[in-house]
Amino acid sequence: MSDLPVSNSAPASPSSTSALRLVLILGLLSAIGPFAIDMYLPALPQIGASLNAPVSAVQASLTAFFLALGVGQPLFGSLADLWGRKKPLYLGLAIFVLASIGCALAQDIQTLVVLRFIQGLGAAAGMAIPRAVVRDLHTGHEAARMMSLLMLVFSVSPILAPLAGSAVIGLGGWRWVFWAVTAAAVLGMLAMVRGLPETRGPAARGDSHLADTFRAYALLLRDAHYLGLVFIGACAMAGFFVYLAGSPFVLINHYGLSTTQYSMAFALNAVAFIGAAQFTGALGQRFGLATVVKLAASASGVVMVALLTYYLLGGDQLAVLMALYFIASAFMGLVIPTTSVLALEEHGAIAGTASALLGTLQMLMGAIAMQLVGLFSTGKPLPMVVGMATGALCGVALTWITLGAARSRQTAQAQ
């Protein structure tokens, strides 16, 4: 990797591992971090009461986790290119397990915030490396198909985790949320032992050194096309993060939903995202991946502008919010996995680093958006909707800058 070659070829999938089993394992590893977020959301009010902490301090424990996911992915992505894919995954999961146990035993909010940051660092391995494994094995439409299947397993988290969190909290209190995610991480480690092949063996690693990692990041940061694709996905993620942080207060406090009803409403949007994501491979093969991104991002922007206009004109119906965001979530299900495939397409030789930088930039942009909108949050829908619509519109602009007509023709020819 010393000269950072760019390769679009991919090794054949190991015959001893079925595609379905591989997707299930990668999906589980990818979902551990989101599971620790989504299952945690219904517990926020109880944590504040239990630890005698203000709302802002409790929200800081959520922000700390997101920041750690962003900071940790470059570390684990680099290690994945230097050491192979499995060793950094084991290391990350071990950190996650230990920090989760600490969170379950925390006696004050300051300790919980610190441990949530460490927990997020461990979870970053599961966020960064599975995308690199997909790129090791597949490119093009097949990669898009596998990424959509991975998204299917990964997206079980926002459907089931809030409901599972509500059930666990009801049975044993908020601390049992952390025991549950500890068990999930241990299950992931056990699944890796025999079910996950090493897709970057010694021959691929060659004589890689730390200096190669810095050169890889320099290469990626000079690649405007790669960065454009990353930030298209980041804009979609930012809108989701704004919804993630604001929806408990808007849906529960403003609209009066119970925690279980909130969990079901949250899951509804995840269903839209998952369902649409399953069409990325077929749509990409028929129309081209770049065309799918352009149309889906633009449609999402139109829907979010309609939602923003509704609230600016004085509307305030939960049904309108849920219906329009359901549609927008479906279009995001086409944008996020497809931009990830396109961003990694030309960087197979440094897929771990490219995947990590993608995850870092998207997580950090989401965390920044979440904090900025939080400064104006009133517990009412409008600030949240403004943040969501802003992310969507920025994504539309970046999409047409990055995947304009000339670039689309070039991408189509390459495919």
Side-chain angles (χ1 to χ4, degrees):
M1 194 177 87
S2 58
D3 57 352
L4 300 178
V6 175
S7 172
N8 287 322
S9 62
S13 179
S15 58
S16 60
T17 303
S18 70
L20 178 60
R21 181 172 62 177
L22 184 63
V23 166
L24 289 174
I25 293 171
L26 293 176
L28 173 61
L29 296 173
S30 299
I32 286 172
F35 199 72
I37 297 168
D38 300 331
M39 199 172 179
Y40 183 70
L41 293 177
L44 293 181
Q46 191 179 110
I47 290 172
S50 174
L51 300 181
N52 194 28
V55 172
S56 60
V58 178
Q59 287 182 326
S61 67
L62 187 62
T63 302
F65 190 90
F66 278 118
L67 289 175
L69 280 178
V71 171
Q73 287 189 64
L75 170 63
F76 285 104
S78 300
L79 292 178
D81 284 340
L82 294 172
W83 296 355
R85 308 309 189 200
K86 294 185 72 172
K87 289 181 181 178
L89 277 170
Y90 282 125
L91 175 61
L93 289 174
I95 293 171
F96 182 89
V97 166
L98 294 175
S100 297
I101 293 172
C103 288
L105 302 175
Q107 298 299 311
D108 58 75
I109 192 63
Q110 292 81 10
T111 301
L112 181 63
V113 170
V114 172
L115 288 171
R116 283 286 279 175
F117 184 85
I118 297 172
Q119 187 190 40
L121 287 177
M127 297 292 289
I129 298 174
R131 287 190 300 261
V133 173
V134 172
R135 177 55 184 83
D136 289 339
L137 299 174
H138 300 289
T139 59
H141 306 303
E142 184 61 26
R145 187 186 69 84
M146 191 168 183
M147 195 74 78
S148 66
L149 289 173
L150 179 60
M151 192 68 66
L152 175 62
V153 180
F154 168 83
S155 296
V156 167
S157 173
I159 293 177
L160 297 182
L163 291 170
S166 296
V168 168
I169 294 163
L171 291 173
W174 65 269
R175 295 182 187 277
W176 279 94
V177 168
F178 294 106
W179 293 118
V181 298
T182 298
V186 171
L187 179 62
M189 294 177 76
L190 293 175
M192 281 179 56
V193 173
R194 293 179 62 86
L196 183 67
E198 177 54 72
T199 58
R200 186 174 175 82
R205 297 196 294 269
D207 58 350
S208 300
H209 300 289
L210 185 61
D212 297 325
T213 298
F214 293 115
R215 284 195 288 271
Y217 280 118
L219 172 69
L220 293 169
L221 291 172
R222 292 195 304 269
D223 187 339
H225 184 64
Y226 166 84
L227 290 176
L229 289 163
V230 168
F231 280 109
I232 294 168
C235 288
M237 291 288 288
F240 171 70
F241 277 25
V242 169
Y243 179 79
L244 188 76
S247 60
F249 302 98
V250 172
L251 271 61
I252 295 174
N253 294 342
H254 181 72
Y255 286 117
L257 298 187
S258 67
T259 54
T260 301
Q261 289 172 330
Y262 165 75
S263 298
M264 295 175 67
F266 192 87
L268 183 65
N269 295 318
V271 168
F273 186 97
I274 295 168
Q278 301 318 299
F279 293 97
T280 54
L283 291 174
Q285 188 168 12
R286 182 170 182 179
F287 301 108
L289 297 178
T291 299
V292 171
V293 174
K294 287 192 290 185
L295 294 178
S298 300
S300 178
V302 170
V303 173
M304 290 309 304
V305 167
L307 182 60
L308 176 60
T309 303
Y310 171 76
Y311 277 100
L312 288 173
L313 293 176
D316 193 13
Q317 294 294 319
L318 176 60
V320 175
L321 172 62
M322 294 304 302
L324 291 181
Y325 193 58
F326 179 89
I327 298 170
S329 295
F331 288 121
M332 285 192 294
L334 297 175
V335 171
I336 292 175
T338 308
T339 52
S340 296
V341 169
L342 289 172
L344 300 183
E345 190 77 21
E346 298 177 3
H347 296 290
I350 51 171
T353 303
S355 175
L357 183 60
L358 179 151
T360 293
L361 294 175
Q362 291 185 348
M363 282 292 168
L364 290 179
M365 185 168 175
I368 291 170
M370 187 167 58
Q371 288 299 105
L372 285 176
V373 174
L375 295 176
F376 302 96
S377 178
T378 61
K380 294 184 177 181
L382 184 58
M384 180 183 77
V385 172
V386 168
M388 293 157 60
T390 301
L393 291 176
C394 289
V396 173
L398 277 173
T399 296
W400 288 94
I401 292 171
T402 305
L403 299 172
R407 182 70 203 194
S408 295
R409 287 193 298 270
Q410 181 181 346
T411 302
Q413 290 170 0
Q415 294 170 350

